[in-house]
Amino acid sequence: MDSNATSKPTLYFDGACPVCTREIAMYRRQPGAEGIEWVDVTGCDTARLGPGLTREAALTRLHLRLPDGRLLDGAEAFAGLWRQLPRWAWLGRLVGTGWRLRVLEAVYRLFLRLRPLWRGSRPAPPAT
């Protein structure tokens, strides 16, 4: 196990994005959510991001750090998150590999192109 590993998966999300914030709030109300660390990267200190993750990268795409220290991003992070939540685990298993994961990644990339329209022009806070 990686020396930076924790006992819980950690999800890194952009708390300045209204769409992202609503979606994360919905996931946080789900059974199993207490087993995940939820980190709003707009307000956390840089050390909280851990190895291999910059604030800029974390603000650009969803990231999930697994308990073994592996870092997933984009569609793979969504599938990993869903597998952690009992009501969503079936979806994580369904789309978490192969062509379905590639389709989910394509849809996510499309969302990322539209996201600045919702996020607004608020700059991220300075790194601490």
Side-chain angles (χ1 to χ4, degrees):
M1 185 178 282
D2 185 290
S3 61
N4 295 305
T6 65
S7 60
K8 295 181 180 183
T10 303
L11 189 85
Y12 303 94
F13 66 95
D14 179 357
C17 169
V19 174
C20 307
T21 301
R22 280 193 299 275
E23 185 173 6
I24 294 301
M26 183 269 304
Y27 291 134
R28 291 181 83 163
R29 291 188 301 268
Q30 300 297 307
E34 67 282 352
I36 299 169
E37 280 192 58
W38 305 89
V39 177
D40 176 353
V41 299
T42 62
C44 72
D45 75 39
T46 327
R48 187 96 191 264
L49 300 175
L53 183 60
T54 64
R55 186 178 313 278
E56 180 180 84
L59 286 169
T60 304
R61 293 170 61 87
L62 187 77
H63 287 77
L64 178 72
R65 188 176 307 278
L66 299 176
D68 66 6
R70 286 183 297 142
L71 189 61
L72 309 178
D73 73 329
E76 194 173 26
F78 274 102
L81 168 63
W82 295 335
R83 285 190 298 267
Q84 300 297 316
L85 301 171
R87 291 183 182 163
W88 293 80
W90 66 272
L91 184 58
R93 288 188 302 272
L94 178 69
V95 300
T97 60
W99 69 268
R100 290 181 182 110
L101 184 61
R102 290 190 297 277
V103 169
L104 182 60
E105 180 65 28
V107 170
Y108 183 60
R109 286 177 188 239
L110 177 62
F111 163 76
L112 291 176
R113 292 184 66 149
L114 299 172
R115 188 172 81 114
L117 301 172
W118 294 301
R119 190 179 191 281
S121 59
R122 288 179 283 180
T128 55

